Amino acid sequence: MRRIAIALGLPVVLVAVWWFASAGSTDFYRPALSRILLAFRETWFGPRLFDDALPSVGRLFAGYALALVLGVALGTAIGAIPWLRALLEPALEFLRAIPPPVLVPIIILIAGFGDLMKVIVIVSGCVWPILLNTVEGVRGVDEVLADTCRSYRITGAMRLRHFVLRAASPQIVTGARQALSIGIILMVISEMIAASQGLGFTIVQFQRGFQIPEMWSGVLLLGLLGVGLSALFQVFERRILIWYHGQRAEMREW
Amino acid sequence: MLHVEGLSKVYDGHGRRTEAIADITFSVAEFEFACVVGPSGCGKTTLLRCIAGLLAPTSGRITVSGEPVAVVFQEYGRSLFPWMRVRDNVELPLRASHMKAQRRRELVAEALESVGLSDVHNAYPWQLSGGMQQRVAIARAIAYGPRVLLMDEPFAAVDAQTRAELEDLIRSVWQRLGVTLLFITHDIDESVYLGQRVIVLSASPTRVAEIVTVDLPAERDQLTTRSDARFAELRTQVYAQIQKAKRSTP
Amino acid sequence: MSRALLGATGLLGLIAIGEAVPRLGLVPIQYAPPPSRIAAALASEAQQPRFWTAVGDTLRTWAEGLAIALVAGVVLGVVIGSVPLLRAATASTIEFLRPIPSVALIPLAALLYGATITSTRVLVVYAAFWQVLVQVLHGVADVDPVAHETARVYRLGRWARVRYLIWPTALPYALTGLRLAASVALILAITGELVIGSPGLGREIAVAQGSGVSAVPTMYAYVVVTGLIGLCANAFARMGERRILAWHPAIRREVAAA
Ligand SMILES: Nc1ncnc2c1ncn2[C@@H]1O[C@H](COP(=O)(O)OP(=O)(O)OP(=O)(O)O)[C@@H](O)[C@H]1O
Ligand SMILES: [Mg+2]
């Protein structure tokens, strides 16, 4: 009870402060919270949900999933083969260092303005943290466990599935978490730069058209999307890494 | 059953050359329980890894006639998969050998039963004590149905009480399963208590200093065997050999 | 072959592929200029003061934003982290605010501050702040309970505890936070310039993008420059971390919740 009160206390206070401080606001740029919430309902619980919001999220998922597959596959190969890693590491370091949004104009040149471009943009940004973390994870697998696999003839797909990928999973998850926030950024950016629909496009449209409460509602929606996806991610992480967190908690007690 | 002939191993790399094993020759007969003792760092793990086929010898020949070979490692904490429950850890090698699910389940249950862990099927390894973890590793080896079992100081890191229990466990497992067992330890008492023969290694450069035959009765237990006069003689003999081997090294 | 040599081979290979693919006509050469052309474009851009102004603007936005985020993150992190009640009360709010994507603020910043460095800096500060704050909070939480007890037994004051106990433990975490923040801040700096149009490399890329096919190599050249800056930022952050922590006994590990 007390814990819930403490957890909810500050958020409630903050929202209340925002509500009352902005109530009856006449500042054009900072409308009342009640006005924003009204705009939120009018704007996003209608055709915009299906025409703009959901397609954006769909592209995000598509690009993210693709990046996950690519990053883990390539990362596993690179992590497991020392000469390949030595060969590719500097090149990968450079490619990763490019801030992903600047690739948007380049990818537009090659893939046009459609969905494909946006998915490629998301993949091109999300793949690096996943790939590099997978490499680290695969490289750092425990030698004794590797010996165990060899002496018990655990090889091939079995070894990959039950040993390598599981052993690397804490790092892979770390990379996937970084990739998720980059993915959201790129979803929005690609639509802000070049699109005729989607969340990013709509919000910029509101801003340029001085539909201020609508714009605020879009900002709110993006925030909620980020929070929602990160909560979803945590659910998956808990399930995948239950052993890891348990083991770490166990070690801390020592 | 198990022959090691003129084995030598030199680690060479990172600008450092270590001669871990100079020249080792011995054999172990079928169904024998042989112990290897030697001072810390003399190359016992190296020897075991060569026999298990995990490491290529620099020279010499190793023949192991008998399949499959199971290994229990020194670092029990790191040889179990922390993301798998106890049951799955024991089962994994069987799955890799394409055994039927029904048969697998039986073998896993039997193996865990025989090490006295019937009630922890669902636990994760890190939820268990050190001694229990090592018993899971032993259960995994048992379930694998090996003809040759290699163990590398399996009890080095458990407390004395647990250690005595595990020693008796291993003796009974060996008698029941009929495996050829090579047991590595740095503990002289343990080697005499467990083995039928004790292979004494010298300090580096490592050779076989002596092979002591343990002529104690097959039925052993912690109290009577250890207070036996013959036991004391044998351990003194092994101890003297190790001391001599240490002194003779340049 | 040594690692360095292999790595150099890999880089050369990347350049060679970049050169061959458009020249063999596998992709249209006007859209994917080979590295030689990009290098030529870069050389000619580098002779113009406008290029260096853009580089300077980007670096300034980045550094200022990072500095503000660092100070705010460390101060708040230490204060919140060392007062248990405050920590409990803010935990849910932090968990909620942190994942809000900083790009959500782009329209707000554009509206409130226009196409200025200030509006991009807001984005940079917001994005970098969470990285630092979360790491510092983890660091403060990591203070050894035994050390805490000891401090209490010896009646160390609050300030002394922060100075001699909390700060040294949290420092490696703060540096990790700085390293993570540095790369995020660079992304946001350039994104802000690209989308809002505040001065800097991002805006130059947008300008080149709007200038037709002849400016494509220039656009690539700017992209390469952002990559090089990113590379330097990473290298400096790692080096600084190593330098400052050389004396530090703590094990540095990246907090999984980063
Ligand atoms: N991978 C390796 N590379 C180089 N040297 C090694 C390696 N493994 C072991 N050595 C060296 O070989 C020697 C023997 O090591 P080994 O681990 O086989 O000894 P051990 O008898 O098992 O020791 P302990 O009783 O501590 O387990 C040591 O000097 C060690 O430093
Ligand atoms: Mg050893």
Side-chain angles (χ1 to χ4, degrees):
Chain A
M1 196 54 220
R2 215 179 100 87
R3 289 236 320 268
I4 296 175
I6 288 179
L8 289 180
L10 189 60
V12 169
V13 169
L14 288 179
V15 172
V17 167
W18 186 3
W19 181 277
F20 289 110
S22 68
S25 163
T26 49
D27 184 335
F28 181 68
Y29 291 135
R30 296 181 186 81
L33 180 55
S34 53
R35 181 76 190 79
I36 294 174
L37 291 180
L38 196 67
F40 190 93
R41 212 184 62 203
E42 285 167 358
T43 312
W44 301 111
F45 288 94
R48 279 226 166 77
L49 178 65
F50 298 99
D51 296 344
D52 295 306
L54 289 183
S56 290
V57 177
R59 286 190 291 264
L60 173 62
F61 276 130
Y64 186 69
L66 216 60
L68 210 54
V69 172
L70 264 175
V72 171
L74 292 176
T76 307
I78 296 172
I81 307 172
W83 65 264
L84 194 61
R85 194 170 68 238
L87 184 72
L88 295 182
E89 214 158 44
L92 291 178
E93 280 292 329
F94 173 71
L95 290 176
R96 172 184 75 151
I98 297 175
V102 304
L103 295 178
V104 177
I106 288 182
I107 294 170
I108 288 174
L109 283 180
I110 292 164
F113 287 86
D115 282 350
L116 180 67
M117 174 278 282
K118 285 160 205 149
V119 172
I120 293 179
V121 166
I122 292 169
V123 173
S124 71
C126 290
V127 78
W128 303 113
I130 298 172
L131 188 143
L132 291 165
N133 278 287
T134 306
V135 169
E136 283 309 304
V138 170
R139 205 171 64 136
V141 297
D142 193 291
E143 287 161 46
V144 178
L145 282 181
D147 278 351
T148 303
C149 284
R150 276 176 66 194
S151 56
Y152 286 102
R153 306 267 160 86
I154 298 161
T155 54
M158 198 105 184
R159 182 179 134 89
L160 194 64
R161 183 168 149 224
H162 291 289
F163 172 49
V164 178
L165 290 180
R166 293 307 295 269
S169 59
Q171 269 97 336
I172 296 178
V173 166
T174 301
R177 192 185 309 102
Q178 290 168 9
L180 183 61
S181 38
I182 293 180
I184 298 176
I185 293 181
L186 290 177
M187 172 194 90
V188 176
I189 298 291
S190 63
E191 293 166 357
M192 282 180 170
I193 295 180
S196 50
Q197 51 105 280
L199 271 177
F201 167 78
T202 316
I203 294 170
V204 167
Q205 227 28 41
F206 287 146
Q207 177 220 325
R208 299 212 170 118
F210 290 98
Q211 293 168 274
I212 303 304
E214 284 78 7
M215 184 204 79
W216 274 93
S217 80
V219 172
L220 207 59
L221 182 65
L222 281 183
L224 288 176
L225 185 67
V227 172
L229 289 179
S230 122
L232 194 65
F233 188 92
Q234 263 186 19
V235 171
F236 280 109
E237 168 173 349
R238 288 249 168 80
R239 299 207 46 180
I240 295 171
L241 294 187
I242 185 169
W243 61 272
Y244 177 73
H245 295 307
Q247 192 182 29
R248 284 191 35 145
E250 203 67 28
M251 283 195 308
R252 223 169 290 139
E253 277 175 25
W254 279 85
Chain B
M1 191 66 192
L2 195 167
H3 302 281
V4 178
E5 278 174 58
L7 173 73
S8 83
K9 176 68 195 178
V10 179
Y11 289 109
D12 205 355
H14 307 286
R16 190 168 149 269
R17 219 182 104 93
T18 317
E19 188 180 33
I21 295 177
D23 181 6
I24 290 185
T25 301
F26 68 86
S27 23
V28 181
E30 188 158 23
F31 304 132
E32 187 182 348
F33 194 142
C35 289
V36 175
V37 269
S40 186
C42 76
K44 300 185 295 294
T45 298
T46 305
L47 170 67
L48 178 124
R49 284 168 51 90
C50 287
I51 296 174
L54 298 171
L55 200 62
T58 307
S59 69
R61 261 220 342 253
I62 292 171
T63 38
V64 182
S65 47
E67 286 270 288
V69 179
V71 185
V72 175
F73 290 94
Q74 188 170 358
E75 303 92 339
Y76 56 81
R78 286 165 59 198
S79 80
L80 297 172
F81 298 97
W83 46 86
M84 287 184 187
R85 295 170 192 277
V86 164
R87 184 198 319 114
D88 303 319
N89 260 292
V90 177
E91 193 182 6
L92 189 66
L94 307 179
R95 288 174 66 175
S97 62
H98 304 291
M99 190 181 282
K100 286 253 164 53
Q102 173 67 28
R103 181 86 190 106
R104 287 200 311 252
R105 263 198 301 278
E106 286 165 18
L107 282 175
V108 170
E110 270 170 37
L112 283 170
E113 164 100 60
S114 70
V115 298
L117 286 180
S118 300
D119 49 350
V120 298
H121 283 234
N122 270 323
Y124 284 102
W126 37 267
Q127 294 173 319
L128 308 178
S129 71
M132 287 164 97
Q133 290 180 27
Q134 193 57 289
R135 275 192 278 173
V136 175
I138 293 169
R140 176 169 63 189
I142 294 173
Y144 197 47
R147 304 244 333 258
V148 179
L149 179 54
L150 307 173
M151 306 184 92
D152 184 10
E153 303 198 37
F155 312 141
V158 298
D159 61 278
Q161 195 74 41
T162 315
R163 186 178 185 137
E165 279 169 31
L166 290 175
E167 283 168 3
D168 290 335
L169 172 72
I170 280 301
R171 284 279 308 176
S172 76
V173 163
W174 167 68
Q175 281 167 335
R176 258 186 306 123
L177 289 189
V179 289
T180 307
L181 213 166
L182 187 73
F183 188 101
I184 289 176
T185 176
H186 64 251
D187 183 326
I188 295 164
D189 283 32
E190 185 171 77
S191 71
V192 174
Y193 179 72
L194 286 176
Q196 295 175 301
R197 278 192 310 153
V198 177
I199 299 160
V200 183
L201 300 183
S202 68
S204 177
T206 310
R207 298 194 155 75
V208 176
E210 200 192 325
I211 297 182
V212 177
T213 304
V214 180
D215 47 6
L216 292 170
E219 283 307 317
R220 301 181 190 179
D221 78 81
Q222 295 288 349
L223 279 180
T224 50
T225 308
R226 281 184 195 265
S227 53
D228 194 326
R230 183 63 191 145
F231 180 85
E233 272 173 44
L234 284 164
R235 69 177 294 271
T236 311
Q237 190 184 346
V238 174
Y239 184 74
Q241 274 307 328
I242 289 186
Q243 289 306 320
K244 206 170 91 191
K246 266 190 198 161
R247 248 175 299 155
S248 67
T249 53
Chain C
M1 220 189 318
S2 78
R3 282 190 74 80
L5 211 59
L6 266 176
T9 314
L11 273 178
L12 285 179
L14 182 72
I15 294 173
I17 292 172
E19 194 75 35
V21 166
R23 291 205 187 273
L24 292 174
L26 298 177
V27 292
I29 198 161
Q30 69 270 35
Y31 293 153
S36 54
R37 263 190 220 174
I38 299 175
L42 183 57
S44 87
E45 280 302 300
Q47 281 161 13
Q48 300 185 15
R50 170 196 170 111
F51 170 83
W52 295 104
T53 315
V55 171
D57 284 337
T58 296
L59 288 180
R60 209 183 105 204
T61 315
W62 174 67
E64 286 175 358
L66 198 56
I68 297 172
L70 183 66
V71 172
V74 168
V75 170
L76 278 176
V78 169
V79 170
I80 293 175
S82 48
V83 182
L85 184 68
L86 214 53
R87 193 187 171 86
T90 52
S92 60
T93 311
I94 290 174
E95 273 312 299
F96 186 82
L97 290 178
R98 188 162 65 101
I100 292 179
S102 35
V103 283
L105 302 183
I106 287 181
L108 279 179
L111 201 64
L112 297 177
Y113 305 107
T116 61
I117 284 190
T118 310
S119 71
T120 300
R121 194 168 46 213
V122 169
L123 300 180
V124 174
V125 171
Y126 183 84
F129 169 74
W130 295 111
Q131 302 283 346
V132 179
L133 178 72
V134 169
Q135 292 289 331
V136 172
L137 281 176
H138 275 288
V140 177
D142 199 39
V143 172
D144 190 349
V146 178
H148 249 312
E149 295 290 305
T150 315
R152 197 157 310 139
V153 169
Y154 287 101
R155 294 176 195 285
L156 253 58
R158 169 145 288 167
W159 173 243
R161 249 186 287 170
V162 168
R163 172 74 184 76
Y164 296 109
L165 191 62
I166 295 174
W167 176 241
T169 316
L171 179 63
Y173 289 84
L175 290 172
T176 304
L178 178 62
R179 175 163 57 77
L180 296 175
S183 73
V184 171
L186 185 65
I187 294 179
L188 265 296
I190 288 171
T191 304
E193 294 159 5
L194 188 67
V195 180
I196 303 176
S198 63
L201 287 168
R203 188 173 69 180
E204 298 307 317
I205 291 174
V207 169
Q209 184 200 9
S211 315
V213 174
S214 63
V216 168
T218 312
M219 184 174 90
Y220 274 83
Y222 276 108
V223 169
V224 170
V225 172
T226 62
L228 292 177
I229 292 178
L231 211 55
C232 293
N234 281 343
F236 275 123
R238 287 235 180 87
M239 209 169 71
E241 210 173 2
R242 228 171 282 148
R243 188 64 69 73
I244 297 176
L245 291 182
W247 53 271
H248 203 285
I251 312 155
R252 276 162 289 147
R253 53 196 143 86
E254 229 157 88
V255 181

